[in-house]
Amino acid sequence: MTKRLILSYLAVTVLVLVLLEVPFAVFYAQRELDRLTADVERDAAVIATIYDDALEAGLPPDPQPAQRYAERTGARVVVVDSRGISVVDTAQTAPRDFSTRPEVATALTGSRATGTRPSETLGTELLYVAIPVASSGTVHGALRLTLDTTEVDERVRRFWWGLAATAVVVLASITLIGWLIARSVTEPLRRLNTTARRFGSGDLTIDQSDGHGPPELRELADTMSTMASQLAAMIDQQRAFVADASHQLRTPLTGLRLRLENLQASLTDADDGADAAQVELAIDEISRLSTLVSDLLRLARTDRHETPVGHDLTAIVADRIDTWSAAADVARIRLDLRTEREHLDVFAVPGAIEQILDNVLDNALGIAPPDTTVTIVVEQGTAQHRLTITDEGPGLTDDDKDRALRRFWRGDTNRPGSGLGLAIADGLARASGGSLTLHDAPTGGLQVVVTLPSSAPDPLPGHEQTHPKLLSARNAVKR
């Protein structure tokens, strides 16, 4: 926008300069030529009076006055008689016939002739003035003066260069002033755009206005700040409600499940088997509802904008794999951890890495067939480090990959779950300044790639060291 505003200022300025300077320069050139013509006509009239008597009497004229004038001004003086034959010529020998020259012919008729014509021999423009030499109404001859217009042309040229220099200075000034004016408008717009993008990403923190910019933009910034404050308050209320409701529901659900389990234990073999089956189904529904409440509580926490802090990614991954080894053992799935560094520091919100791993591993163990491998790879990057979890399950279609990160989406409704696991993991990754993406695994399953920003300089190359839990995770073959 700044460039467009400056270009518009320059376009208007160039138009004004052309409309003003071009006519002014043309007028100046014409004025200088007219002034030179008037001076030459005056000189020609004076010289004509000197040769009037000689031409009237038919006597040979004295060439000295014409010669002195030619030497002083650089003009050529030609005096012709009534037949157009030269009697004085400061440039060539006389006599010569000039009756065929239009300006001389005009002067012999009693009229004046002025104008310019190009000179092929001199390579410049010549100004000519031809006047009749007459007395008592009788034309006795004519006088022609021709003068090189180089001096006038040079003055006109200098004037054009002066106008061009003035135009350059004006354009440079307009560019600077236009840039300052455009920046005073576009800079607040850029800040508003940045603020709007931040609001769109979910960060509703309000920056203190510096009070610069047009009043309309300052008013718009204040309106956006008020809107963000109100939105933040409503979202906080919603999050608080979800968190409080989820927390409050956990206790009665736990109590209800205990009552049902006690009722299930009190049923005897003699009791109706249908009642026992209904109690079992009720317990399963209570368990599913408890899982959903817990996921909602975690989801509400992911929406809070906490400040990321430093964590040792390798150590946390090793610890969580060690924790999930028992569940993998039951599912007959092997957990394979691969990493090159004992320590790999990343930024993440507190508890994010653990919950991301828990949700992704829970999905992987739930969909991977027995006697397969779930591979966990920790890779070092420059600005970001990467955590990759790959299973050998059925995978997802491209459309399902897009839906899988949405809340409450479940690919297999027969499996228990709330459909919030990957959505929670994605929210935690983004809240930590990273990302979570889904890809097709080389083995045909699903590959989850989590990137997290590095919180420490790249470590120096060295020998691979093995963390105690890494060793146990690598050697743990789950069958």
Side-chain angles (χ1 to χ4, degrees):
M1 184 175 180
T2 301
K3 184 184 295 184
R4 290 195 296 270
L5 287 174
I6 293 176
L7 289 177
S8 65
Y9 298 152
L10 290 178
V12 173
T13 305
V14 168
L15 178 61
V16 172
L17 288 174
V18 169
L19 293 177
L20 291 178
E21 290 192 349
V22 172
F24 185 42
V26 173
F27 170 77
Y28 176 81
Q30 188 62 46
R31 191 196 67 173
E32 289 296 309
L33 183 60
D34 291 344
R35 187 169 62 179
L36 177 62
T37 303
D39 292 342
V40 174
E41 285 182 346
R42 186 174 58 253
D43 294 344
V46 173
I47 298 173
T49 59
I50 297 175
Y51 292 103
D52 185 13
D53 293 340
L55 290 176
E56 184 179 3
L59 299 175
D62 182 9
Q64 290 301 318
Q67 193 67 40
R68 285 195 297 269
Y69 179 79
E71 292 175 354
R72 188 176 73 251
T73 62
R76 179 183 179 183
V77 182
V78 177
V79 180
V80 300
D81 58 15
S82 58
R83 297 172 300 166
I85 304 300
S86 63
V87 294
V88 175
D89 191 343
T90 59
Q92 294 183 5
T93 58
R96 291 180 63 204
D97 186 6
F98 282 86
S99 61
T100 58
R101 301 294 176 89
E103 66 274 13
V104 174
T106 300
L108 290 175
T109 62
S111 300
R112 293 191 176 194
T114 60
T116 59
R117 59 180 175 83
S119 173
E120 297 179 358
T121 57
L122 299 177
T124 183
E125 289 283 328
L126 291 178
L127 170 67
Y128 63 84
V129 173
I131 63 173
V133 179
S135 62
S136 302
T138 303
V139 177
H140 305 295
L143 171 69
R144 190 191 73 174
L145 296 182
T146 54
L147 182 66
D148 185 1
T149 61
T150 302
E151 184 177 352
V152 173
D153 294 339
E154 184 62 29
R155 284 202 304 270
V156 172
R157 191 177 297 109
R158 287 198 301 268
F159 187 75
W160 275 98
W161 279 113
L163 290 179
T166 302
V168 170
V169 172
V170 170
L171 290 175
S173 301
I174 290 297
T175 301
L176 177 60
I177 296 172
W179 180 79
L180 293 175
I181 295 175
R183 192 170 183 271
S184 68
V185 176
T186 57
E187 189 63 27
L189 284 176
R190 289 194 188 95
R191 291 197 297 269
L192 284 176
N193 186 39
T194 302
T195 302
R197 287 181 179 177
R198 192 176 71 250
F199 290 168
S201 66
D203 183 6
L204 298 178
T205 56
I206 300 174
D207 293 335
Q208 192 67 27
S209 176
D210 56 5
H212 293 92
E216 296 81 1
L217 293 180
R218 293 201 301 269
E219 183 178 357
L220 178 59
D222 293 338
T223 302
M224 289 182 60
S225 298
T226 303
M227 176 195 68
S229 299
Q230 295 174 351
L231 284 175
M234 290 188 296
I235 292 174
D236 287 341
Q237 291 177 357
Q238 180 191 22
R239 290 170 180 167
F241 170 76
V242 173
D244 293 342
S246 301
H247 182 74
Q248 293 298 324
L249 284 172
R250 294 176 71 179
T251 300
L253 286 174
T254 302
L256 182 58
R257 178 173 179 173
L258 290 175
R259 289 178 180 273
L260 289 173
E261 288 177 348
N262 291 334
L263 177 61
Q264 184 183 35
S266 64
L267 292 175
T268 63
D269 295 338
D271 293 328
D272 189 359
D275 294 338
Q278 292 297 324
V279 171
E280 182 68 27
L281 291 175
I283 293 175
D284 292 340
E285 289 299 318
I286 293 296
S287 299
R288 190 179 69 83
L289 188 57
S290 298
T291 301
L292 177 60
V293 169
S294 299
D295 288 344
L296 285 174
L297 185 59
R298 284 197 296 269
L299 188 62
R301 289 172 180 170
T302 62
D303 290 334
R304 298 176 182 173
H305 291 281
E306 300 182 73
T307 302
V309 295
H311 297 279
D312 185 351
L313 177 63
T314 306
I316 294 176
V317 171
D319 180 74
R320 298 316 299 165
I321 289 179
D322 192 46
T323 301
W324 279 90
S325 60
D329 213 359
V330 173
R332 295 164 51 196
I333 295 175
R334 178 175 179 265
L335 297 181
D336 182 19
L337 174 61
R338 301 174 184 177
T339 182
E340 297 179 354
R341 302 293 177 191
E342 180 181 357
H343 300 288
L344 207 57
D345 296 322
V346 295
F347 276 122
V349 297
I353 301 175
E354 293 87 344
Q355 292 188 46
I356 290 173
L357 274 170
D358 289 347
N359 287 315
V360 175
L361 289 175
D362 182 43
N363 284 340
L365 295 179
I367 62 176
D371 301 324
T372 59
T373 301
V374 174
T375 305
I376 303 95
V377 180
V378 179
E379 297 177 282
Q380 178 185 358
T382 304
Q384 291 187 324
H385 302 316
R386 187 163 68 169
L387 171 64
T388 305
I389 301 97
T390 307
D391 61 59
E392 298 178 10
L396 295 174
T397 64
D398 291 339
D399 291 338
D400 286 345
K401 291 189 188 74
D402 294 333
R403 300 188 190 100
L405 299 180
R406 300 175 188 174
R407 298 177 178 182
F408 300 106
W409 183 85
R410 297 173 62 191
D412 185 1
T413 56
N414 295 322
R415 291 184 58 247
S418 62
L420 294 173
L422 289 178
I424 293 173
D426 178 56
L428 290 171
R430 287 187 286 106
S432 302
S435 64
L436 185 146
T437 54
L438 304 179
H439 306 275
D440 292 327
T443 56
L446 182 66
Q447 186 177 75
V448 181
V449 178
V450 180
T451 60
L452 295 171
S454 172
S455 65
D458 294 339
L460 294 175
H463 297 290
E464 180 178 349
Q465 298 179 356
T466 304
H467 191 279
K469 291 185 177 180
L470 298 185
L471 184 60
S472 63
R474 290 175 184 173
N475 294 335
V477 179
K478 311 305 179 184
R479 294 293 184 183

